[in-house]
Amino acid sequence: MSRLDQIYAQERNMDDFRFTVDTHLFRELGELLVGRDSTALIELIKNAYDADATRVQVRGVELAKSGTIEIIDDGNGMTGEVFKGAFLRIAGRYKEGGSRRSPLYGRRYTGAKGVGRLSAHKLARRLEVTSVPNPNVFNAEHIDSLTGVRAQIDWDALENLNETLDTATSGLKVDVLASPDQGFSGTTLKLSSLKSSWQPAQLNRFLDELHSARPAPELVSPPGKNIVSENSLIGEVQPSSTGQNDPGFQIITEGDLHTGESLWVELISRSHWLLEIDATGPLVQYSIQPTRAYSERLSDNRSYVFTRAHPAPSAGPHFKARIYAREGSLGTKNRASELIRFNSRRGGVRVYLEGFRVLPYGGRRDDWLGLDRDYARKPRTFEIDFAETSSSVLLPQENEGYLSQGNDQYFGAVFLTADEAESLRPVVNREGFVEDESFEILRDLTRTGIDLVTRARAANLRERQAREEEEEEVYLQSRLAHGTPQDSEDEKEATSAAEGRADQTPTPDRPKSTVKRPLITARQELTILGDTPNLPQEARAQVERAQVAVELAESRERAWDEERTMLRVLAGVGLQFAAFVHEINGILGQANTVRELANFLVSASPMERRQILSQLSDAVEQLVQSLARQSSYLTDVVGPDARRRRRRMRLPEIVSSSTQLLSKTMRERGIHLTLDLESRAKTPPMFPAEMTVIMTNLLTNAVKAIGDSGKVIVSGYEDGAGNTIIRVENTGNRVDLADSERWFQPFESTTTEIDVVLGQGLGLGLPITRRIIEEYGGKIYFTKPTAGFATAVQISLPPQGVKA
C-alpha cells in the first residue's frame, strides 16, 4: 500500500471518533449538582412556574417510608415534540434565545442550564411524567402534532443497563397521548422509590425550606396604618419579572408536605421597627420607623430616611428589601411558643430571585449578614457613610454596637430580579451566589440598613436615659425646695401622673441612698455660695475645691449604687451555678455524642451515612437548645440591657428567662407549669436583671420541692391599693407557716437532698430575693396556699417601688 493509500485509510477510520456521554452523567447532573432535597423539589416547581402555571400542587405520601411525591401544575404542558427536544435533551436550549420569557404571561425564565428536570434524580429512583399541551400556546404549525405524552423513567436502569446516552433504550418508556383532554393542560410529575426516608427532624427542615420557597404575601405588601404611621418607601413589591396579565403563581402543599397556619400577621404585630431599602437606582434609600405599638412606649418615635450612593450604579446588584426587627423575647405562653417556633423556621433575612428563595440565606444556621457574629463580639460602633442628601440626621452613638442583635430578631426579605441581579453569579449547586465583589455589595447595603436600625435604637435609648436623668433632677430639686423628706401633695400627684404614663415615659428612680441627699444639699449650698457677689478670692477658691470634692463624691456614690445592684444580681447568678454545672455536664455529653457520630461518619458506608447524618443533626439541635437556654438566661441577667435602667415590666414578661432555663427539667420530670398573670399588671420600676433573679430563685425552689410530677402555678395581679402581687405555688413539700421566717435566714435551705439536676440549695436564694424586694419597699413571705397546693410564696411590691 502506498503512502497516500495509508493516509486515506486513516481518514476513513477517523469517522469512528466522536463525543459520547456516559449515562453516569445523570447522577453527576442530577444527584450531585443539586445540594439538598428541598432545592431539587423547588427546581421542579420552578419548571411549573416557567410553564405559565397559575398553581402547582405538591403532595407527599408516606415520606417517612420512602413514599411518593407528586407535582401537579396547570401550565402549558408539553407536546411529544417538546418533550423529546426539551425534556429529554440534557442542557437543551429550549429556554434560550428571544426574550427568555414564558409565552403566555411573559414570566422571566428561572431556569437557564436545562438540567433542572434532573433534580428528580436527586429525589427518587423512578419518575412518571404525564403532560397535556395547551393548544392556545403552541402555534398553528404544531397543531397537527398537538399530542400529549406519558413517560416512565427508571434512573437506576438507565445508568446500569446502558453505557452511553445515545444508545440508551432501557429505563425509558414513552407513550404518546393521541387524543389528550383539551379541557385541561399541564404536567404531572410523580416521583416514587424516594432515595430518602425523612425522619421528623429532616422532614421539618425540608418543609421549612419548601414553604419559604415563595415570599410571604405579608412581606410583599406594604404594612397597613395599623402597623406603622408613615407611608412605605417601597410600596407593593413586584418580586418577579412578569407581564401585567399574570394572575400569579400559587404553591399548594398537601399530605405529608402540608404546613400549619401562617403566623406572619401576628409576628409582624410583635415587631418594633420596620426597615425598607430601595437600591434600584444610583442612590440607595433607607427608611426606618418604629411600629405603632412600639412608638407609644418611646420618648422619641421619629422616623428616619437616609440616602447613600450605590457603590456600583451601572452593574448593580439592584434590589428592594423589607425587614422587620423586634426587641426582647416573644413570651412564654402556648401561643407565644407557637410564634417562637414559627419565627425560628421562617425568621431571618431571606433572599428571593424572581420570586423564588435563594438558599441558604436566612436559614437557621446561616449568618450571611454577620449578625450572629457581631452579636457575640459586640463591636463598639458602626462605620456608615451617607451622602449629604440624607434628610435625617442620626449621629453615631456611644457603644451603639453593644445593642447588636442576632438573626432571630429580624425577619424579612431581599427581592432581586434577574435583570437587576445580572452581576450576581449563582453557585453551581443552585445554593447561593459566588461571594465576589457584587455579592459583597448586596451584603454591605443590606447590613448597613440593619446597622442603622441598631443606631436608631441606641439613640432612642440615650434619649430615654437623658429624660430619666432630667426628671430625676427635677424630683430632687423639688425635694430640696420643700426641705423635708416627706412627699408634698404636689409631688404625690406628679408621681401618680408619671406612673399613669409609664407606658410612654419610664418613671424616674427616687433616691434611696442615705449619702445622696446630703451631697445634693451640699452641692446646692455651694452653688448659692459661689454665686454670692463680692466673695473674697480665697473663699471662692475654697468653694470651688469643695464643689470638685462633692462632684467626685456624687460620682463615686452613683457608681456604688450601680455596683451594689450588680452585686445582688451576681449573687443570684451564683446560686444557679450548681444547676449550670449539671447542665454543662449534659452539654458535654451531647458534644461527645456529636464527636462520636462525626467520627463514625468518616468510615461509614453511603447507606449508613444518611442515618448517621440524621442522628448527628438531632444531636446538634439538642446541643444548640441547651446552649440557647443558658445563653438566654445569662444575657437577661448580666447583659448590658439588664441593668441599664429601671423600668416597669408587665407580669407576663418577668418569667420568660426563668421558664426557658427550667423548661427542659420541668418537661423531663412531668411538671406542669401554669401562668395566670394579668397582662396589664406591672412591677414598679426595677432592673430586669433583678426580676429575673427573683423569679428564677422562686421557680427553682418550687421545682426542687416537687421532684417528679406535680404542678407549679405563678399568678400575679394588682390589688385594690395598687400593689403588685405575685404568688408562686407548688404541690411539693409543705412549709410550716409558723416557722417559715427561718427560710429567709442565710444558709437555711429548704432543700435537704442533693438534686441531681439543679444541685443542692445553699440557703441564700430567699435572703437575696428578700433583700432585692425590700430595696423597693416590698415584702416576701410564705402564705397559705390555695386548694390543691402545698406551699405558696407571695411577693407584694408597692406601686412606687419606694422604700417605706
Side-chain angles (χ1 to χ4, degrees):
M1 180 182 294
S2 66
R3 178 61 178 167
L4 186 59
D5 291 336
Q6 292 177 355
I7 293 175
Y8 286 151
Q10 290 176 354
E11 289 180 349
R12 286 194 298 271
N13 292 336
M14 289 293 290
D15 293 338
D16 297 331
F17 292 90
R18 61 183 181 276
F19 285 106
T20 59
V21 180
D22 195 286
T23 54
H24 181 67
L25 182 69
F26 283 124
R27 180 152 52 92
E28 294 294 331
L29 293 182
E31 185 173 6
L32 302 181
L33 186 62
V34 182
R36 63 185 84 187
D37 291 337
S38 56
T39 303
L41 184 56
I42 291 171
E43 287 295 320
L44 297 175
I45 294 173
K46 285 181 180 179
N47 282 348
Y49 173 84
D50 290 349
D52 286 318
T54 61
R55 55 180 280 161
V56 59
Q57 296 169 260
V58 186
R59 181 184 301 124
V61 179
E62 296 186 339
L63 296 183
K65 301 178 181 179
S66 187
T68 62
I69 295 177
E70 285 186 294
I71 304 160
I72 307 167
D73 71 58
D74 61 352
N76 297 331
M78 293 179 286
T79 66
E81 180 181 346
V82 172
F83 181 77
K84 178 181 178 181
F87 196 95
L88 294 182
R89 179 172 294 175
I90 309 304
R93 305 180 186 183
Y94 181 71
K95 295 181 181 179
E96 290 187 359
S99 61
R100 280 190 44 78
R101 290 180 178 269
S102 64
L104 196 58
Y105 299 128
R107 294 172 179 170
R108 176 66 182 260
Y109 286 137
T110 60
K113 297 181 175 61
V115 295
R117 69 195 64 85
L118 292 180
S119 297
H121 188 287
K122 169 75 174 178
L123 294 168
R125 292 181 172 84
R126 292 180 59 83
L127 170 65
E128 297 178 33
V129 182
T130 302
S131 191
V132 177
N134 183 346
N136 297 321
V137 171
F138 296 94
N139 57 39
E141 63 180 323
H142 295 106
I143 289 294
D144 293 340
S145 60
L146 196 62
T147 57
V149 65
R150 179 180 291 116
Q152 296 179 355
I153 302 175
D154 186 327
W155 298 108
D156 289 346
L158 272 173
E159 293 183 27
N160 298 331
L161 302 179
N162 304 279
E163 291 188 1
T164 62
L165 293 180
D166 55 344
T167 62
T169 55
S170 301
L172 173 63
K173 180 182 178 182
V174 182
D175 294 322
V176 174
L177 301 179
S179 300
D181 180 6
Q182 298 304 317
F184 166 82
S185 67
T187 300
T188 298
L189 305 178
K190 183 176 180 180
L191 290 75
S192 57
S193 298
L194 300 181
K195 295 182 178 180
S196 296
S197 56
W198 286 293
Q199 299 305 311
Q202 183 181 2
L203 179 59
N204 286 337
R205 287 194 301 273
F206 182 88
L207 292 176
D208 292 345
E209 292 162 359
L210 170 63
H211 295 309
S212 63
R214 299 280 287 177
E218 292 80 2
L219 297 179
V220 173
S221 301
K225 290 298 182 181
N226 62 317
I227 301 297
V228 292
S229 302
E230 305 293 333
N231 292 330
S232 168
L233 173 68
I234 60 177
E236 184 84 14
V237 176
Q238 180 59 261
S240 54
S241 306
T242 183
Q244 294 182 351
N245 65 333
D246 191 340
F249 180 69
Q250 183 182 13
I251 301 175
I252 302 171
T253 54
E254 300 174 343
D256 291 350
L257 297 178
H258 182 63
T259 184
E261 66 173 316
S262 171
L263 300 180
W264 278 114
V265 173
E266 190 168 351
L267 188 60
I268 289 174
S269 70
R270 302 285 189 96
S271 63
H272 298 89
W273 298 88
L274 169 63
L275 163 67
E276 292 183 315
I277 306 173
D278 187 348
T280 57
L283 294 178
V284 182
Q285 289 184 295
Y286 297 88
S287 169
I288 299 170
Q289 54 178 314
T291 60
R292 274 188 176 274
Y294 189 52
S295 63
E296 295 175 356
R297 298 161 51 185
L298 301 178
S299 58
D300 178 10
N301 58 2
R302 78 181 77 170
S303 299
Y304 303 91
V305 176
F306 304 96
T307 305
R308 65 175 290 187
H310 195 295
S314 299
H318 298 101
F319 63 93
K320 292 182 179 180
R322 178 173 285 128
I323 300 168
Y324 292 91
R326 61 179 180 82
E327 301 177 14
S329 65
L330 287 167
T332 58
K333 289 189 175 180
N334 292 337
R335 184 62 174 178
S337 299
E338 294 178 18
L339 200 59
I340 290 170
R341 288 192 292 270
F342 183 84
N343 180 68
S344 69
R345 296 195 305 266
R346 309 294 174 86
V349 180
R350 307 198 168 183
V351 178
Y352 290 86
L353 176 62
E354 288 295 343
F356 285 92
R357 185 182 170 196
V358 181
L359 289 167
Y361 304 128
R364 279 186 284 180
R365 295 179 178 87
D366 177 71
D367 191 28
W368 75 283
L369 292 171
L371 298 175
D372 289 340
R373 176 199 64 201
D374 286 348
Y375 176 72
R377 68 182 182 91
K378 290 289 190 287
R380 288 184 176 271
T381 189
F382 305 116
E383 297 294 333
I384 305 174
D385 296 322
F386 286 101
E388 295 181 357
T389 55
S390 291
S391 60
S392 301
V393 176
L394 184 59
L395 298 176
Q397 305 296 308
E398 182 179 3
N399 295 329
E400 61 188 356
Y402 288 169
L403 293 182
S404 296
Q405 301 187 123
N407 282 294
D408 60 346
Q409 299 296 103
Y410 300 92
F411 56 92
V414 174
F415 300 101
L416 296 157
T417 61
D419 291 337
E420 294 176 333
E422 288 183 347
S423 60
L424 294 171
R425 296 182 296 159
V427 177
V428 68
N429 68 350
R430 309 295 183 89
E431 295 183 9
F433 300 110
V434 176
E435 296 194 6
D436 54 11
E437 181 179 359
S438 183
F439 179 78
E440 287 301 322
I441 290 174
L442 174 68
R443 177 156 48 195
D444 175 67
L445 292 179
T446 307
R447 177 59 195 266
T448 294
I450 292 177
D451 290 345
L452 284 170
V453 173
T454 305
R455 179 170 289 180
R457 292 173 50 232
N460 190 273
L461 178 61
R462 184 176 180 179
E463 290 279 347
R464 293 203 304 267
Q465 290 174 333
R467 186 166 181 172
E468 288 174 12
E469 292 172 1
E470 180 181 349
E471 292 186 358
E472 183 176 4
E473 182 66 23
V474 171
Y475 167 78
L476 295 175
Q477 293 283 357
S478 176
R479 291 294 296 268
L480 186 64
H482 283 79
T484 171
Q486 301 298 322
D487 288 345
S488 68
E489 291 303 317
D490 290 342
E491 284 180 77
K492 292 178 180 178
E493 183 179 349
T495 302
S496 177
E499 286 294 323
R501 298 192 312 270
D503 276 348
Q504 291 80 21
T505 306
T507 305
D509 301 330
R510 291 172 177 252
K512 304 178 184 66
S513 170
T514 57
V515 180
K516 182 177 291 186
R517 191 173 295 111
L519 286 174
I520 295 172
T521 303
R523 173 162 51 82
Q524 295 291 331
E525 292 178 351
L526 287 170
T527 300
I528 296 172
L529 187 59
D531 293 338
T532 302
N534 302 321
L535 188 68
Q537 186 65 31
E538 182 178 352
R540 190 174 299 280
Q542 291 177 348
V543 169
E544 290 176 354
R545 286 195 294 271
Q547 286 176 326
V548 171
V550 169
E551 289 176 1
L552 178 61
E554 285 182 321
S555 175
R556 289 179 175 175
E557 198 279 335
R558 284 193 298 269
W560 166 240
D561 186 52
E562 181 176 343
E563 292 304 320
R564 182 176 54 196
T565 298
M566 195 58 193
L567 285 173
R568 285 197 301 266
V569 170
L570 290 177
V573 174
L575 295 181
Q576 297 301 316
F577 187 73
F580 287 174
V581 169
H582 290 281
E583 183 77 8
I584 289 169
N585 284 334
I587 292 173
L588 181 60
Q590 293 168 349
N592 285 331
T593 300
V594 171
R595 181 175 62 183
E596 292 173 1
L597 289 171
N599 290 335
F600 291 153
L601 192 62
V602 174
S603 57
S605 66
M607 290 293 293
E608 294 173 326
R609 286 184 180 180
R610 292 186 182 276
Q611 182 178 3
I612 294 173
L613 282 171
S614 177
Q615 296 173 353
L616 181 61
S617 175
D618 293 340
V620 170
E621 186 67 25
Q622 293 177 13
L623 181 60
V624 169
Q625 290 177 3
S626 297
L627 292 171
R629 283 196 304 273
Q630 300 300 334
S631 174
S632 175
Y633 173 79
L634 290 173
T635 298
D636 285 350
V637 174
V638 300
D641 287 338
R643 58 184 182 89
R644 179 173 281 116
R645 69 180 184 93
R646 293 181 175 93
R647 62 181 177 87
R648 302 190 71 192
M649 291 165 280
R650 296 186 185 276
L651 294 191
E653 177 187 354
I654 66 175
V655 298
S656 174
S657 296
S658 306
T659 54
Q660 184 174 357
L661 179 68
L662 297 168
S663 60
K664 180 181 178 183
T665 301
M666 289 189 290
R667 184 172 60 253
E668 291 175 347
R669 296 183 177 183
I671 296 174
H672 180 70
L673 173 65
T674 300
L675 301 179
D676 184 18
L677 301 165
E678 287 186 359
S679 59
R680 295 186 178 182
K682 295 181 179 180
T683 68
M686 301 175 67
F687 287 110
E690 294 175 313
M691 206 65 236
T692 298
V693 167
I694 291 171
M695 295 310 304
T696 302
N697 282 334
L698 296 183
L699 282 174
T700 301
N701 285 347
V703 171
K704 288 179 181 178
I706 291 175
D708 292 335
S709 300
K711 299 178 181 179
V712 177
I713 182 171
V714 181
S715 55
Y717 56 92
E718 288 185 5
D719 64 13
N723 298 306
T724 302
I725 308 298
I726 303 171
R727 288 171 62 96
V728 179
E729 303 181 68
N730 68 78
T731 56
N733 299 325
R734 188 175 299 277
V735 170
D736 182 4
L737 295 182
D739 192 36
S740 60
E741 274 299 303
R742 61 175 289 198
W743 306 120
F744 291 98
Q745 299 299 317
F747 306 110
E748 291 286 348
S749 175
T750 57
T751 304
T752 57
E753 298 180 359
I754 296 178
D755 191 301
V756 295
V757 176
L758 302 176
Q760 185 174 15
L762 300 177
L764 293 175
L766 289 178
I768 290 173
T769 299
R770 172 169 278 184
R771 287 293 301 274
I772 295 175
I773 292 171
E774 288 180 344
E775 183 73 17
Y776 293 95
K779 299 177 182 180
I780 179 172
Y781 48 89
F782 284 92
T783 187
K784 182 179 179 180
T786 55
F789 290 86
T791 300
V793 179
Q794 181 162 310
I795 298 172
S796 176
L797 291 165
Q800 306 293 329
V802 182
K803 193 170 181 178

